[in-house]
Amino acid sequence: MQALNLPRYEIKVREKGGRLAIFDDLRRKYVALTAEEWVRQHFVHYLIGHLGYPAGLLANEMQLQIGDKHLRCDTLLYNRELQPLMIIEYKAPTIALSQRVFDQITAYNLLLHVDYLVMSNGLQHVCCRMDYEHHTYTFLEDIPHHSQL
């Protein structure tokens, strides 16, 4: 897999059904090792190990429903009251973080109304803070430490 702009961690990979699988600590199981999953696992470990995010407040692959349509958030961060606080969307390193990706994550936010939107392709990371009072958002220079949320 491709080297990413994220810290390394002790990766657990195994072969499963003729395909490679990577261990997801949040879901506590091996999942198919795709380029997007490679980014997700590195990013989650970065959040927990370097930015102080509690693993117990993070969840991968969360289902959302709008009418008949089912959506899936890559990762959600909850606050201590278990209200969604941050949506994180991952793409493979070969996928640019474009307006289309931003539109995707903002569609999820119509349901969740979170304070932070984060996108990463493992090479580039984008974070914005929502300001619902003024109906704006601000792009941040870095992903904030959990203590700053």
Side-chain angles (χ1 to χ4, degrees), residues 19-43:
R19 296 186 58 183
L20 288 179
I22 189 167
F23 190 74
D24 181 332
D25 287 324
L26 298 182
R27 290 180 273 182
R28 293 183 172 87
K29 67 179 184 176
Y30 280 89
V31 296
L33 178 53
T34 63
E36 183 178 309
E37 194 63 45
W38 182 251
V39 172
R40 180 196 333 264
Q41 295 308 317
H42 278 79
F43 201 87

mmCIF file of all heavy atoms in Angstrom, residues 19-43:
data_model
loop_
_atom_site.group_PDB
_atom_site.id
_atom_site.type_symbol
_atom_site.label_atom_id
_atom_site.label_comp_id
_atom_site.label_asym_id
_atom_site.label_seq_id
_atom_site.Cartn_x
_atom_site.Cartn_y
_atom_site.Cartn_z
ATOM 1 N N ARG A 19 -8.024 -12.607 0.044
ATOM 2 C CA ARG A 19 -7.813 -11.165 -0.030
ATOM 3 C C ARG A 19 -7.183 -10.686 1.272
ATOM 4 O O ARG A 19 -7.353 -11.306 2.314
ATOM 5 C CB ARG A 19 -9.147 -10.449 -0.232
ATOM 6 C CG ARG A 19 -9.813 -10.803 -1.559
ATOM 7 C CD ARG A 19 -11.038 -9.987 -1.805
ATOM 8 N NE ARG A 19 -10.680 -8.566 -1.800
ATOM 9 C CZ ARG A 19 -11.548 -7.589 -1.925
ATOM 10 N NH1 ARG A 19 -12.822 -7.862 -2.062
ATOM 11 N NH2 ARG A 19 -11.163 -6.331 -1.913
ATOM 12 N N LEU A 20 -6.513 -9.558 1.196
ATOM 13 C CA LEU A 20 -5.922 -8.978 2.396
ATOM 14 C C LEU A 20 -6.990 -8.253 3.209
ATOM 15 O O LEU A 20 -7.895 -7.620 2.655
ATOM 16 C CB LEU A 20 -4.802 -8.007 2.036
ATOM 17 C CG LEU A 20 -3.511 -8.633 1.504
ATOM 18 C CD1 LEU A 20 -2.507 -7.544 1.159
ATOM 19 C CD2 LEU A 20 -2.919 -9.605 2.510
ATOM 20 N N ALA A 21 -6.860 -8.346 4.522
ATOM 21 C CA ALA A 21 -7.766 -7.660 5.442
ATOM 22 C C ALA A 21 -6.918 -6.956 6.493
ATOM 23 O O ALA A 21 -5.835 -7.416 6.850
ATOM 24 C CB ALA A 21 -8.723 -8.652 6.091
ATOM 25 N N ILE A 22 -7.421 -5.827 6.978
ATOM 26 C CA ILE A 22 -6.736 -5.027 7.991
ATOM 27 C C ILE A 22 -7.633 -4.981 9.229
ATOM 28 O O ILE A 22 -8.855 -4.918 9.114
ATOM 29 C CB ILE A 22 -6.411 -3.606 7.460
ATOM 30 C CG1 ILE A 22 -5.511 -2.843 8.430
ATOM 31 C CG2 ILE A 22 -7.670 -2.833 7.104
ATOM 32 C CD1 ILE A 22 -4.911 -1.569 7.837
ATOM 33 N N PHE A 23 -6.996 -5.009 10.403
ATOM 34 C CA PHE A 23 -7.777 -4.995 11.632
ATOM 35 C C PHE A 23 -8.247 -3.583 11.947
ATOM 36 O O PHE A 23 -7.463 -2.636 11.952
ATOM 37 C CB PHE A 23 -6.972 -5.544 12.815
ATOM 38 C CG PHE A 23 -7.815 -5.776 14.031
ATOM 39 C CD1 PHE A 23 -8.687 -6.852 14.087
ATOM 40 C CD2 PHE A 23 -7.766 -4.903 15.099
ATOM 41 C CE1 PHE A 23 -9.492 -7.068 15.205
ATOM 42 C CE2 PHE A 23 -8.560 -5.103 16.227
ATOM 43 C CZ PHE A 23 -9.423 -6.195 16.266
ATOM 44 N N ASP A 24 -9.541 -3.445 12.194
ATOM 45 C CA ASP A 24 -10.152 -2.175 12.583
ATOM 46 C C ASP A 24 -10.382 -2.233 14.087
ATOM 47 O O ASP A 24 -11.245 -2.975 14.558
ATOM 48 C CB ASP A 24 -11.475 -1.997 11.830
ATOM 49 C CG ASP A 24 -12.166 -0.682 12.147
ATOM 50 O OD1 ASP A 24 -11.979 -0.148 13.264
ATOM 51 O OD2 ASP A 24 -12.907 -0.182 11.285
ATOM 52 N N ASP A 25 -9.606 -1.459 14.838
ATOM 53 C CA ASP A 25 -9.723 -1.458 16.302
ATOM 54 C C ASP A 25 -11.086 -0.975 16.778
ATOM 55 O O ASP A 25 -11.565 -1.420 17.818
ATOM 56 C CB ASP A 25 -8.629 -0.590 16.929
ATOM 57 C CG ASP A 25 -7.260 -1.237 16.855
ATOM 58 O OD1 ASP A 25 -7.174 -2.469 16.979
ATOM 59 O OD2 ASP A 25 -6.262 -0.503 16.678
ATOM 60 N N LEU A 26 -11.717 -0.071 16.049
ATOM 61 C CA LEU A 26 -13.015 0.440 16.478
ATOM 62 C C LEU A 26 -14.124 -0.592 16.288
ATOM 63 O O LEU A 26 -14.991 -0.739 17.137
ATOM 64 C CB LEU A 26 -13.366 1.729 15.728
ATOM 65 C CG LEU A 26 -12.423 2.917 15.936
ATOM 66 C CD1 LEU A 26 -12.937 4.132 15.176
ATOM 67 C CD2 LEU A 26 -12.232 3.240 17.407
ATOM 68 N N ARG A 27 -14.097 -1.286 15.164
ATOM 69 C CA ARG A 27 -15.115 -2.314 14.901
ATOM 70 C C ARG A 27 -14.708 -3.666 15.474
ATOM 71 O O ARG A 27 -15.487 -4.596 15.467
ATOM 72 C CB ARG A 27 -15.374 -2.434 13.397
ATOM 73 C CG ARG A 27 -16.097 -1.223 12.828
ATOM 74 C CD ARG A 27 -16.336 -1.360 11.349
ATOM 75 N NE ARG A 27 -15.176 -0.871 10.611
ATOM 76 C CZ ARG A 27 -15.085 -0.820 9.302
ATOM 77 N NH1 ARG A 27 -16.078 -1.249 8.549
ATOM 78 N NH2 ARG A 27 -14.000 -0.344 8.720
ATOM 79 N N ARG A 28 -13.462 -3.765 15.929
ATOM 80 C CA ARG A 28 -12.902 -4.983 16.525
ATOM 81 C C ARG A 28 -13.012 -6.197 15.606
ATOM 82 O O ARG A 28 -13.406 -7.283 16.023
ATOM 83 C CB ARG A 28 -13.550 -5.270 17.881
ATOM 84 C CG ARG A 28 -13.214 -4.249 18.926
ATOM 85 C CD ARG A 28 -13.802 -4.596 20.281
ATOM 86 N NE ARG A 28 -13.328 -3.723 21.315
ATOM 87 C CZ ARG A 28 -13.889 -2.559 21.639
ATOM 88 N NH1 ARG A 28 -14.927 -2.131 20.980
ATOM 89 N NH2 ARG A 28 -13.386 -1.832 22.622
ATOM 90 N N LYS A 29 -12.666 -5.976 14.331
ATOM 91 C CA LYS A 29 -12.679 -7.082 13.371
ATOM 92 C C LYS A 29 -11.811 -6.719 12.175
ATOM 93 O O LYS A 29 -11.465 -5.559 11.964
ATOM 94 C CB LYS A 29 -14.101 -7.394 12.915
ATOM 95 C CG LYS A 29 -14.755 -6.298 12.094
ATOM 96 C CD LYS A 29 -16.159 -6.703 11.660
ATOM 97 C CE LYS A 29 -16.778 -5.645 10.749
ATOM 98 N NZ LYS A 29 -18.090 -6.066 10.258
ATOM 99 N N TYR A 30 -11.460 -7.732 11.405
ATOM 100 C CA TYR A 30 -10.725 -7.525 10.163
ATOM 101 C C TYR A 30 -11.709 -7.135 9.075
ATOM 102 O O TYR A 30 -12.800 -7.706 8.977
ATOM 103 C CB TYR A 30 -9.971 -8.796 9.770
ATOM 104 C CG TYR A 30 -8.681 -8.976 10.541
ATOM 105 C CD1 TYR A 30 -8.673 -9.661 11.749
ATOM 106 C CD2 TYR A 30 -7.490 -8.431 10.075
ATOM 107 C CE1 TYR A 30 -7.496 -9.818 12.471
ATOM 108 C CE2 TYR A 30 -6.300 -8.588 10.788
ATOM 109 C CZ TYR A 30 -6.316 -9.283 11.981
ATOM 110 O OH TYR A 30 -5.156 -9.424 12.693
ATOM 111 N N VAL A 31 -11.312 -6.154 8.267
ATOM 112 C CA VAL A 31 -12.129 -5.679 7.158
ATOM 113 C C VAL A 31 -11.270 -5.673 5.892
ATOM 114 O O VAL A 31 -10.037 -5.638 5.974
ATOM 115 C CB VAL A 31 -12.711 -4.277 7.436
ATOM 116 C CG1 VAL A 31 -13.666 -4.313 8.626
ATOM 117 C CG2 VAL A 31 -11.612 -3.258 7.679
ATOM 118 N N ALA A 32 -11.912 -5.722 4.743
ATOM 119 C CA ALA A 32 -11.185 -5.751 3.471
ATOM 120 C C ALA A 32 -10.217 -4.573 3.383
ATOM 121 O O ALA A 32 -10.580 -3.428 3.681
ATOM 122 C CB ALA A 32 -12.165 -5.723 2.305
ATOM 123 N N LEU A 33 -8.999 -4.871 2.969
ATOM 124 C CA LEU A 33 -7.964 -3.842 2.856
ATOM 125 C C LEU A 33 -8.063 -3.190 1.474
ATOM 126 O O LEU A 33 -7.538 -3.689 0.496
ATOM 127 C CB LEU A 33 -6.575 -4.434 3.074
ATOM 128 C CG LEU A 33 -5.400 -3.466 2.934
ATOM 129 C CD1 LEU A 33 -5.582 -2.237 3.806
ATOM 130 C CD2 LEU A 33 -4.102 -4.164 3.263
ATOM 131 N N THR A 34 -8.782 -2.088 1.432
ATOM 132 C CA THR A 34 -8.867 -1.261 0.225
ATOM 133 C C THR A 34 -8.004 -0.025 0.445
ATOM 134 O O THR A 34 -7.562 0.245 1.568
ATOM 135 C CB THR A 34 -10.320 -0.818 -0.028
ATOM 136 O OG1 THR A 34 -10.734 0.005 1.078
ATOM 137 C CG2 THR A 34 -11.250 -2.021 -0.179
ATOM 138 N N ALA A 35 -7.798 0.750 -0.599
ATOM 139 C CA ALA A 35 -7.020 1.985 -0.459
ATOM 140 C C ALA A 35 -7.697 2.952 0.511
ATOM 141 O O ALA A 35 -7.039 3.607 1.330
ATOM 142 C CB ALA A 35 -6.828 2.636 -1.826
ATOM 143 N N GLU A 36 -9.016 3.033 0.470
ATOM 144 C CA GLU A 36 -9.750 3.913 1.385
ATOM 145 C C GLU A 36 -9.645 3.408 2.825
ATOM 146 O O GLU A 36 -9.479 4.194 3.761
ATOM 147 C CB GLU A 36 -11.222 3.997 0.975
ATOM 148 C CG GLU A 36 -12.025 4.937 1.834
ATOM 149 C CD GLU A 36 -13.469 5.063 1.389
ATOM 150 O OE1 GLU A 36 -13.699 5.307 0.193
ATOM 151 O OE2 GLU A 36 -14.359 4.922 2.249
ATOM 152 N N GLU A 37 -9.714 2.096 3.006
ATOM 153 C CA GLU A 37 -9.602 1.526 4.360
ATOM 154 C C GLU A 37 -8.205 1.754 4.921
ATOM 155 O O GLU A 37 -8.043 1.980 6.123
ATOM 156 C CB GLU A 37 -9.935 0.035 4.343
ATOM 157 C CG GLU A 37 -10.180 -0.545 5.706
ATOM 158 C CD GLU A 37 -11.383 0.066 6.411
ATOM 159 O OE1 GLU A 37 -12.443 0.235 5.803
ATOM 160 O OE2 GLU A 37 -11.251 0.395 7.622
ATOM 161 N N TRP A 38 -7.197 1.696 4.079
ATOM 162 C CA TRP A 38 -5.819 1.984 4.475
ATOM 163 C C TRP A 38 -5.736 3.398 5.060
ATOM 164 O O TRP A 38 -5.147 3.620 6.116
ATOM 165 C CB TRP A 38 -4.915 1.834 3.252
ATOM 166 C CG TRP A 38 -3.461 2.047 3.438
ATOM 167 C CD1 TRP A 38 -2.731 3.107 2.983
ATOM 168 C CD2 TRP A 38 -2.526 1.173 4.090
ATOM 169 N NE1 TRP A 38 -1.408 2.947 3.311
ATOM 170 C CE2 TRP A 38 -1.254 1.768 3.991
ATOM 171 C CE3 TRP A 38 -2.646 -0.050 4.737
ATOM 172 C CZ2 TRP A 38 -0.109 1.183 4.526
ATOM 173 C CZ3 TRP A 38 -1.505 -0.627 5.268
ATOM 174 C CH2 TRP A 38 -0.258 -0.014 5.160
ATOM 175 N N VAL A 39 -6.376 4.350 4.385
ATOM 176 C CA VAL A 39 -6.409 5.731 4.863
ATOM 177 C C VAL A 39 -7.184 5.803 6.179
ATOM 178 O O VAL A 39 -6.722 6.421 7.145
ATOM 179 C CB VAL A 39 -7.027 6.675 3.810
ATOM 180 C CG1 VAL A 39 -7.235 8.080 4.373
ATOM 181 C CG2 VAL A 39 -6.155 6.715 2.556
ATOM 182 N N ARG A 40 -8.365 5.173 6.237
ATOM 183 C CA ARG A 40 -9.192 5.233 7.456
ATOM 184 C C ARG A 40 -8.420 4.743 8.675
ATOM 185 O O ARG A 40 -8.405 5.397 9.712
ATOM 186 C CB ARG A 40 -10.455 4.378 7.301
ATOM 187 C CG ARG A 40 -11.332 4.415 8.556
ATOM 188 C CD ARG A 40 -12.395 3.312 8.640
ATOM 189 N NE ARG A 40 -12.847 2.811 7.394
ATOM 190 C CZ ARG A 40 -13.945 3.223 6.761
ATOM 191 N NH1 ARG A 40 -14.693 4.169 7.277
ATOM 192 N NH2 ARG A 40 -14.277 2.683 5.610
ATOM 193 N N GLN A 41 -7.782 3.588 8.557
ATOM 194 C CA GLN A 41 -7.103 3.014 9.717
ATOM 195 C C GLN A 41 -5.939 3.886 10.177
ATOM 196 O O GLN A 41 -5.740 4.087 11.372
ATOM 197 C CB GLN A 41 -6.650 1.582 9.418
ATOM 198 C CG GLN A 41 -7.795 0.624 9.184
ATOM 199 C CD GLN A 41 -8.825 0.658 10.300
ATOM 200 O OE1 GLN A 41 -8.495 0.688 11.483
ATOM 201 N NE2 GLN A 41 -10.103 0.650 9.929
ATOM 202 N N HIS A 42 -5.187 4.428 9.240
ATOM 203 C CA HIS A 42 -4.095 5.327 9.610
ATOM 204 C C HIS A 42 -4.633 6.603 10.264
ATOM 205 O O HIS A 42 -4.081 7.079 11.259
ATOM 206 C CB HIS A 42 -3.242 5.681 8.391
ATOM 207 C CG HIS A 42 -2.232 4.651 8.050
ATOM 208 N ND1 HIS A 42 -2.546 3.493 7.373
ATOM 209 C CD2 HIS A 42 -0.910 4.585 8.313
ATOM 210 C CE1 HIS A 42 -1.455 2.772 7.219
ATOM 211 N NE2 HIS A 42 -0.443 3.408 7.782
ATOM 212 N N PHE A 43 -5.698 7.160 9.712
ATOM 213 C CA PHE A 43 -6.240 8.411 10.231
ATOM 214 C C PHE A 43 -6.827 8.217 11.625
ATOM 215 O O PHE A 43 -6.600 9.041 12.521
ATOM 216 C CB PHE A 43 -7.300 8.972 9.268
ATOM 217 C CG PHE A 43 -7.536 10.441 9.461
ATOM 218 C CD1 PHE A 43 -6.756 11.377 8.809
ATOM 219 C CD2 PHE A 43 -8.530 10.890 10.308
ATOM 220 C CE1 PHE A 43 -6.959 12.731 8.999
ATOM 221 C CE2 PHE A 43 -8.748 12.243 10.504
ATOM 222 C CZ PHE A 43 -7.958 13.165 9.848
#
